[in-house]
Amino acid sequence: MTKKREAKKVFIVTGIPGVGKTSVIEAMLKKAEKVISEPIEMVNYGTVMLEVAKGENLVNSRDELRILPPQVQRRIQRIAGEKISKMAEDRIVIVDTHTLIITPDGYLVGLPEWVVTALEPHSIILVEADPNEIARRRSKDDTRERDKEFLNGIKEHQDLCRVAGIVCATLTGSIVKVIENRDGEVEQAAMNLLKMFEE
Ligand code: ATP
Ligand code: MG
């Protein structure tokens, strides 16, 4: 089926830490060249925030971002959102981001109203997996320092991400799509993501 995509060019890919967002997007981009004629780029919201925070000498590494005072995180979040929405003027931008960030005070919303309305996403894509598999992926991945969460915490976090995704879509009229990233099936998840961009 031929799909005519709307002018909106931001696609938010979200899900809890360790679910496989970055892996699925990277696998999709490898396949995208043959299928998508428009320029397409992935941007990690945390990386843009890190650049802003480093520019202000607030942190040295990305895993320090989430322990900054919430009001500072919010200010940096806003600046990052503005930068990303500018990027999307001439290309498709896939935003790899968290909907909820664990802070010492509780969850900080990663896509508050002022960020999501500035981004004006076409779609919000929720990458999900079995909580047991997520826990295993986190424990095997020594490239990152992720917060320790027990299984019921992982489940709560993932359930609340769904809620946050629907709230964001309610604010912006975006589409919400759930993509399962099963163990050993990144390629299948990447194919499902690619379908969203097919022309
Ligand atoms: P974060 O939000 O912390 O950046 P993420 O959602 O981007 O995490 P990744 O870094 O892509 O997650 O993946 C976490 C770990 O899980 C990596 O070691 C990755 O290789 C592994 N992984 C991702 N998807 C799968 C899968 N389908 N099967 C097995 N391992 C996977
Ligand atoms: Mg990632």
Side-chain angles (χ1 to χ4, degrees):
M1 190 179 71
T2 310
K3 287 193 276 186
K4 184 86 188 112
R5 202 180 25 258
E6 297 162 57
K8 290 182 186 178
K9 288 182 191 290
V10 173
F11 291 74
I12 295 177
V13 175
T14 191
I16 76 171
V19 73
K21 298 174 291 298
T22 307
S23 308
V24 172
I25 299 168
E26 284 174 350
M28 184 279 288
L29 287 176
K30 284 193 188 139
K31 302 176 195 299
E33 276 173 26
K34 293 180 200 126
V35 188
I36 305 169
S37 54
E38 281 178 81
I40 181 165
E41 191 175 338
M42 160 167 112
V43 60
N44 185 295
Y45 208 96
T47 304
V48 180
M49 283 182 66
L50 177 61
E51 284 162 9
V52 175
K54 273 187 169 170
E56 296 188 18
N57 292 320
L58 293 170
V59 296
N60 294 310
S61 77
R62 64 179 290 138
D63 291 305
E64 287 174 55
L65 279 174
R66 62 180 179 275
I67 49 175
L68 285 171
Q71 71 274 19
V72 178
Q73 292 191 50
R74 281 189 213 106
R75 185 174 59 74
I76 294 169
Q77 225 173 16
R78 183 190 296 270
I79 300 171
E82 287 161 2
K83 281 178 176 253
I84 293 169
S85 86
K86 272 217 156 50
M87 287 171 64
E89 284 170 5
D90 60 357
R91 63 202 118 157
I92 298 173
V93 177
I94 301 175
V95 185
D96 177 348
T97 192
H98 297 122
T99 31
L100 298 170
I101 295 101
I102 296 178
T103 77
D105 296 332
Y107 293 114
L108 179 90
V109 175
L111 294 168
E113 183 271 340
W114 65 84
V115 169
V116 81
T117 51
L119 292 177
E120 218 195 327
H122 173 285
S123 303
I124 296 166
I125 298 140
L126 299 167
V127 180
E128 296 190 348
D130 179 282
N132 291 289
E133 291 177 6
I134 296 171
R136 267 201 306 278
R137 286 174 203 169
R138 286 180 182 175
S139 66
K140 279 198 219 155
D141 182 5
D142 52 15
T143 64
R144 296 288 304 279
E145 255 180 69
R146 294 189 176 86
D147 285 313
K148 299 262 174 299
E149 260 186 308
F150 294 109
L151 268 188
N152 53 358
I154 291 179
K155 188 179 177 314
E156 174 190 280
H157 195 165
Q158 187 158 254
D159 288 347
L160 290 177
C161 277
R162 275 194 166 194
V163 176
I166 292 292
V167 170
C168 287
T170 306
L171 290 169
T172 56
S174 313
I175 301 291
V176 177
K177 169 98 176 159
V178 177
I179 291 186
E180 270 298 311
N181 179 28
R182 294 189 184 83
D183 249 5
E185 296 186 15
V186 176
E187 294 300 319
Q188 185 55 52
M191 286 298 295
N192 289 338
L193 180 57
L194 184 63
K195 282 185 197 149
M196 306 212 50
F197 305 96
E198 275 170 356
E199 290 162 349

